[in-house]
Amino acid sequence: MKLLQCILLSWGLFFAPLSWAKADFSVLLVNPSISGEPFWQKVESIAQAASKQLNVKLDVIYGDGSRYIQLEELQKYLEYRATPDFVVLMLYPGNAEQHLDLLEKYGIQYLTLEQTINGPEQVEVGKPGQRYKNWLGEIYFDNFRAGADLAQALTESLREKRPSVKPQALAINGHYGSESDARNQGAQSFFGSQGVALQQSIYASWSKTQAMEKTQRLLKRYPNTNIIWSASDLMAMGALSAVKQRGEKEQTFVAIGGFDWLNDTLRLIEKGELQASVGGHFIMGGLAILSLYDKFHGHSYWQTNQSITYPLVVINEHNVHRYLWLAEKIDWTGVDFSGFSLLNNKQSNYLVSPTFLAKDNAPGVIGD
């Protein structure tokens, strides 16, 4: 209860006047996807709302879902536009060094979103502030725990609907990278601890179409599948399409879920067609802007810390009514980001959980 109170107080869910001088700095947000992509649009929208409220100049460029295009667009921006004070970006596996080398060349301080680099590449780039001195830190969430939480939610849903059947699962990953792999490892850990048969794990490149086509083939190979765990909501919806396309005699309950809290996903959970979605991580856009605001005004957080982390939240049939309003168009300016500032509340860490977005916890966030 105390943690919840801290979260609500720290986010200051009512309008409050700023009590210090206006910020006067610029941030470049590198959206790794395309304009309007459902998940990253929410990240961008919250970042824009926080920037407007905190008087931060925010520019946005797009990586179009390609590590090569993202690097090219970043290079063009830095070469032909005024150099921003800070950059916020997600690193793509395979060319993280090129991105970081470029930012260091221009002497720009930056934050990275999510932990997407692993293996030899992660060893090569090191931790924030080590090899790359202008790398302030990372904002990320526990993908392993989130993957396990989704696996648990789907298993519990199956046992509620079909208590007598043996759980038999499939897993659909995004791509070969730390984010997707950590989620899958969490799922494997939970399934293994519960004796749930994980028949096969595949990769579908975060694509709804690929997920549908590959699930169609997998269901022929494993016709008794009753759990489909997915590393994203789009792929979960692809899997749902494949399940629906099976013959009428094969229409048995399959527990399906993913990540991201997409608008369509919440409605499908309400209808009982999907069973769970893990999410809330899109708040990282606003959190990045806020932490840079604190830094600009002299807070030492990024001098003594390398990261901000927070848990994700499972939405299922039991709590979807508290989050369904998020499926509407949202005016994020209703969130008082200044109330969450470490300068304002004198806390040493950012106490944040997506639970603040539950309808009964968020009277200041307005759907229109």
Side-chain angles (χ1 to χ4, degrees):
M1 186 64 180
K2 289 183 178 179
L3 175 60
L4 179 58
Q5 290 172 342
C6 288
I7 292 167
L8 296 177
L9 289 173
S10 64
W11 272 92
L13 293 172
F14 299 95
F15 291 103
L18 298 178
S19 57
W20 47 81
K22 291 183 178 180
D24 185 19
F25 65 95
S26 60
V27 175
L28 172 65
L29 173 65
V30 183
N31 182 329
S33 189
I34 60 175
S35 178
E37 188 278 330
F39 173 74
W40 282 101
Q41 183 58 52
K42 285 187 176 181
V43 176
E44 180 183 327
S45 296
I46 293 178
Q48 288 173 333
S51 298
K52 184 176 181 179
Q53 185 183 116
L54 300 173
N55 299 299
V56 176
K57 182 180 184 297
L58 181 70
D59 282 348
V60 181
I61 61 173
Y62 299 92
D64 288 351
S66 164
R67 63 187 183 185
Y68 304 110
I69 294 176
Q70 176 168 294
L71 181 61
E72 180 181 340
E73 290 301 311
L74 178 59
Q75 191 163 7
K76 285 194 297 186
Y77 182 95
L78 296 178
E79 184 175 353
Y80 297 110
R81 303 282 293 274
T83 302
D85 295 297
F86 301 100
V87 172
V88 177
L89 76 162
M90 187 197 81
L91 299 174
Y92 271 106
N95 70 349
E97 283 186 271
Q98 290 94 320
H99 281 78
L100 300 181
D101 287 340
L102 178 63
L103 292 169
E104 293 287 328
K105 171 187 172 182
Y106 280 87
I108 304 170
Q109 294 186 313
Y110 51 93
L111 293 173
T112 55
L113 303 178
E114 306 191 15
Q115 283 190 317
T116 55
I117 310 303
N118 63 3
E121 188 176 21
Q122 196 280 325
V123 174
E124 190 65 28
V125 301
K127 296 291 184 181
Q130 294 178 344
R131 174 181 170 186
Y132 294 101
K133 302 304 180 184
N134 288 319
W135 187 2
L136 296 174
E138 303 171 287
I139 299 179
Y140 66 93
F141 34 88
D142 189 339
N143 275 301
F144 181 92
R145 173 182 167 185
D149 288 346
L150 177 59
Q152 180 177 354
L154 296 177
T155 303
E156 290 176 351
S157 179
L158 176 67
R159 287 171 173 164
E160 287 177 8
K161 299 292 192 300
R162 302 179 65 194
S164 62
V165 305
K166 177 182 177 181
Q168 299 185 69
L170 297 173
I172 306 174
N173 298 305
H175 56 49
Y176 295 90
S178 61
E179 177 190 20
S180 181
D181 289 344
R183 292 177 183 180
N184 182 257
Q185 289 162 9
Q188 290 183 35
S189 176
F190 178 82
F191 286 145
S193 71
Q194 298 296 306
V196 176
L198 180 55
Q199 302 163 117
Q200 189 169 342
S201 294
I202 62 167
Y203 289 88
S205 300
W206 308 110
S207 165
K208 180 178 180 179
T209 301
Q210 279 196 40
M212 180 187 70
E213 294 172 348
K214 292 185 177 183
T215 300
Q216 287 173 329
R217 294 194 290 269
L218 287 171
L219 290 175
K220 293 178 181 179
R221 187 180 307 165
Y222 305 107
N224 294 322
T225 296
N226 46 37
I227 294 175
I228 301 179
W229 178 102
S230 175
S232 80
D233 282 350
L234 278 177
M235 295 189 297
M237 286 188 277
L240 175 63
S241 295
V243 170
K244 286 183 173 181
Q245 291 172 18
R246 294 196 299 180
E248 187 173 335
K249 294 182 180 179
E250 299 174 284
Q251 292 297 327
T252 57
F253 177 77
V254 180
I256 306 172
F259 285 73
D260 291 346
W261 287 8
L262 296 186
N263 297 348
D264 289 344
T265 304
L266 300 186
R267 296 186 181 99
L268 288 168
I269 292 174
E270 181 189 32
K271 295 177 182 178
E273 296 187 39
L274 289 177
Q275 281 60 58
S277 178
V278 177
H281 38 318
F282 50 77
I283 64 175
M284 61 186 166
L287 187 52
I289 299 299
L290 181 67
S291 72
L292 292 175
Y293 183 87
D294 284 350
K295 175 178 171 54
F296 181 81
H297 283 280
H299 199 280
S300 62
Y301 183 87
W302 286 122
Q303 295 175 17
T304 56
N305 294 272
Q306 293 181 320
S307 65
I308 299 174
T309 62
Y310 53 94
L312 301 188
V313 174
V314 177
I315 292 178
N316 57 27
E317 64 177 333
H318 301 297
N319 66 353
V320 67
H321 63 282
R322 300 179 67 201
Y323 296 92
L324 195 60
W325 67 279
L326 291 168
E328 306 300 327
K329 183 181 178 182
I330 304 301
D331 175 11
W332 294 107
T333 58
V335 176
D336 177 22
F337 293 94
S338 67
F340 188 42
S341 166
L342 297 185
L343 292 169
N344 200 32
N345 57 40
K346 305 303 181 183
Q347 295 169 348
S348 59
N349 293 296
Y350 293 96
L351 298 178
V352 58
S353 165
T355 54
F356 91 93
L357 293 171
K359 187 174 182 179
D360 45 343
N361 288 342
V365 186
I366 306 166
D368 60 9

